[in-house]
Amino acid sequence: DPIRLEVIEVPRQGRPASFAGAVGEGFSLEVSADRSVVQLGEPILLTFDLRGDGDLSTAGLPPFDAEGLFDPNLFRLPEEPPAGLLEEGGKRFESSVRVLDAAVREVPAIAYSWFDAKTRRFETTYSRPIALSVGAAEIIGADAVARRPGLESGGQEGEVGGDSSLPAPGAEP
């Protein structure tokens, strides 16, 4: 029996910034973090699990600084969205971000848009936000580093930190 196919192009007009090639229906995006307590500037590994009815092989993540995703004033972001791996029932992406502002209290809800070919409209879902506790980074100077007890500057030659295999300070290699 002949089959009638109708091929349409994903419209450019009205395309959300959080659209990254997903076509189908019923998509969801779950985001998880490897930790929720960080110091300012430490990396947070995020895992993005994308699920939905459609061809996930062409689905990606939009640029992280797109509208509805991360504020680049609050997070240091990767330059390119990560490549995903197809898994049973979905596609997984992993990427690191770094918090740039100690006032940040969460990884925000992330928008993810797809084109529904049946309704011929863009749809958007949002992940859940992830609570964060961000501590201020502590800068330690050389004067704050403690010496090992019993090691004074007048130690015996050839003795550095108790390891006699290292040359004495000032000795020629």
Side-chain angles (χ1 to χ4, degrees):
D1 292 334
I3 298 175
R4 178 178 155 81
L5 294 178
E6 183 181 2
V7 179
I8 62 171
E9 184 177 341
V10 175
R12 295 189 191 286
Q13 186 175 6
R15 186 180 287 187
S18 60
F19 175 74
V23 176
E25 55 190 351
F27 282 89
S28 67
L29 181 67
E30 292 180 26
V31 180
S32 59
D34 68 335
R35 57 193 164 147
S36 60
V37 178
V38 296
Q39 295 298 317
L40 194 64
E42 286 183 335
I44 303 169
L45 179 64
L46 299 177
T47 302
F48 302 83
D49 287 311
L50 179 65
R51 300 194 188 322
D53 295 326
D55 182 9
L56 293 176
S57 66
T58 60
L61 291 180
F64 283 2
D65 60 353
E67 184 180 331
L69 279 82
F70 293 93
D71 181 342
N73 296 316
L74 301 178
F75 293 90
R76 180 174 302 137
L77 306 169
E79 292 183 20
E80 295 292 324
L85 295 173
L86 285 172
E87 295 183 346
E88 186 175 328
K91 194 168 188 178
R92 177 169 279 192
F93 305 85
E94 289 186 343
S95 188
S96 290
V97 298
R98 294 174 188 261
V99 178
L100 298 176
D101 187 332
V104 170
R105 295 292 170 245
E106 67 182 14
V107 172
I110 304 298
Y112 190 81
S113 299
W114 71 92
F115 183 72
D116 187 324
K118 289 181 181 176
T119 64
R120 296 187 181 195
R121 295 183 346 184
F122 288 100
E123 303 287 340
T124 302
T125 187
Y126 293 86
S127 67
R128 292 187 176 138
I130 301 170
L132 290 178
S133 175
V134 180
E138 186 178 342
I139 299 174
I140 299 175
D143 57 334
V145 177
R147 285 186 176 250
R148 195 161 67 184
L151 181 65
E152 298 298 324
S153 59
Q156 295 181 9
E157 191 166 313
E159 193 178 307
V160 175
D163 185 350
S164 61
S165 65
L166 296 175
E172 290 190 31

